[in-house]
């Protein structure tokens, strides 16, 4: 008769041995069970990693949406500040030139010093505003960077989801069931044995036999 080999997919201790040699079993009937506690822990850990990756992905997506508005707004603000600084500088420069054009006896030294200081301060503010515009002008690069972070977390989510699916499969492999009706034969395992993945633990002989 034909026989189907029964081999475990995962490694562990046999916690339940539900059949004996030469016993007839039906398709889907439990044959043996490997201690599932390590596999339950692995599944729960994989689930936690997936939840964490999904939360990080949501945060990255929110940050990306904010960036698409924030970075252009920062550039507009910096440009406005630069325009205001240049206007202040122009007025300070006009005052500076006017005070230097009039008779020195008509102004006090304190007034002249104030005009010079105001002009220098206005010039420094323009330089600072220009630097801010230059920094804020990288709108496409900054937005692309946040998109890259979204892509990275999407990859992390897919990886974590695959790990969870594998952990769930491994947990399911802890229960070996009969793939068909048949007679248990060649059983070489007892309850409490540590069995590796792969080697045969028993076979199921087909109920249909013949003589040649």
């Amino acid at each position: 008769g034909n026989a189907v080999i029964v081999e475990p997919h995962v490694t562990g201790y046999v916690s339940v041995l539900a059949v004996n040699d030469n016993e007839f079993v039906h398709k889907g009937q439990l044959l043996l069970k490997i201690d599932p506690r390590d596999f339950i822990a692995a599944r729960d850990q994989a689930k936690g990693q997936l939840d964490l990756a999904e939360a990080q992905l949501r945060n990255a997506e929110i940050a990306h949406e904010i960036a698409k508005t924030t970075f252009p707004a920062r550039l507009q603000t910096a440009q406005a500040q630069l325009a205001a600084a240049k206007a202040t500088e122009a007025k300070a420069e006009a005052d500076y030139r006017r005070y230097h054009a009039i008779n020195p006896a008509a102004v006090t030294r304190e007034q002249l010093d104030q005009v010079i200081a105001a002009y220098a301060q206005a010039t420094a503010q323009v330089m600072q505003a220009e630097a801010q515009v230059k920094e804020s002008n990288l709108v496409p690069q900054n937005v692309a960077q946040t998109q890259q972070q979204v892509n990275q977390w999407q990859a992390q989510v897919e990886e974590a989801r695959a790990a969870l699916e594998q952990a769930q499969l491994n947990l399911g492999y802890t229960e070996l069931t009969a793939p068909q009706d048949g007679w248990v034969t060649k059983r070489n395992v007892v309850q409490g044995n540590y069995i590796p993945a792969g080697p045969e633990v028993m076979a199921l002989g087909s109920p249909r036999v013949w003589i040649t």
Side-chain angles (χ1 to χ4, degrees):
N2 294 323
V4 176
I5 305 302
V6 178
E7 300 173 341
H9 290 280
V10 294
T11 299
Y13 289 96
V14 177
S15 59
V16 176
L17 183 60
V19 294
N20 295 312
D21 231 351
N22 301 318
E23 180 180 340
F24 186 82
V25 296
H26 297 281
K27 181 178 180 180
Q29 183 176 336
L30 179 67
L31 302 177
L32 65 83
K33 185 175 182 179
I34 297 172
D35 189 346
R37 288 175 293 181
D38 290 342
F39 301 96
I40 292 173
R43 179 203 59 190
D44 293 344
Q45 183 179 8
K47 180 64 168 58
Q49 292 295 329
L50 176 59
D51 291 342
L52 176 61
E54 288 177 338
Q56 295 289 357
L57 174 59
R58 288 192 294 271
N59 289 338
E61 289 173 339
I62 293 171
H64 178 59
E65 291 302 317
I66 293 174
K68 289 192 293 186
T69 302
T70 301
F71 288 117
R74 287 180 182 175
L75 176 59
Q76 292 177 353
T77 301
Q79 290 171 338
Q81 290 174 345
L82 176 59
K86 285 184 175 180
T88 302
E89 182 189 34
K91 181 180 182 302
E93 183 180 7
D95 292 342
Y96 176 82
R97 294 182 183 280
R98 186 171 63 254
Y99 270 82
H100 277 75
I102 62 178
N103 190 337
V107 295
T108 65
R109 183 62 191 177
E110 182 180 358
Q111 290 175 326
L112 186 59
D113 290 342
Q114 289 176 350
V115 169
I116 294 173
Y119 182 36
Q121 183 179 5
T123 302
Q125 289 176 345
V126 168
M127 294 175 62
Q128 183 179 3
E130 287 175 341
Q132 189 65 37
V133 168
K134 185 176 180 180
E135 180 181 351
S136 302
N137 202 34
L138 302 175
V139 173
Q141 294 87 338
N142 291 330
V143 173
Q145 185 177 19
T146 60
Q147 179 62 59
Q148 183 64 26
Q149 292 174 346
V150 171
N151 296 341
Q152 289 176 352
W153 281 113
Q154 284 176 337
Q156 292 285 342
V157 166
E158 294 302 321
E159 182 178 349
R161 184 174 290 118
L164 176 59
E165 290 175 357
Q166 184 60 57
Q168 290 173 332
L169 280 175
N170 290 340
L171 179 58
Y173 290 149
T174 58
E175 293 188 359
L176 276 69
T177 58
Q180 66 173 33
D181 294 349
W183 299 94
V184 177
T185 183
K186 299 181 181 179
R187 198 200 75 185
N188 59 5
V189 62
V190 296
Q191 186 170 339
N193 279 166
Y194 184 83
I195 56 175
E200 173 187 351
V201 292
M202 66 182 72
L204 293 181
S206 170
R208 298 184 61 186
V209 297
W210 62 91
I211 299 174
T212 58

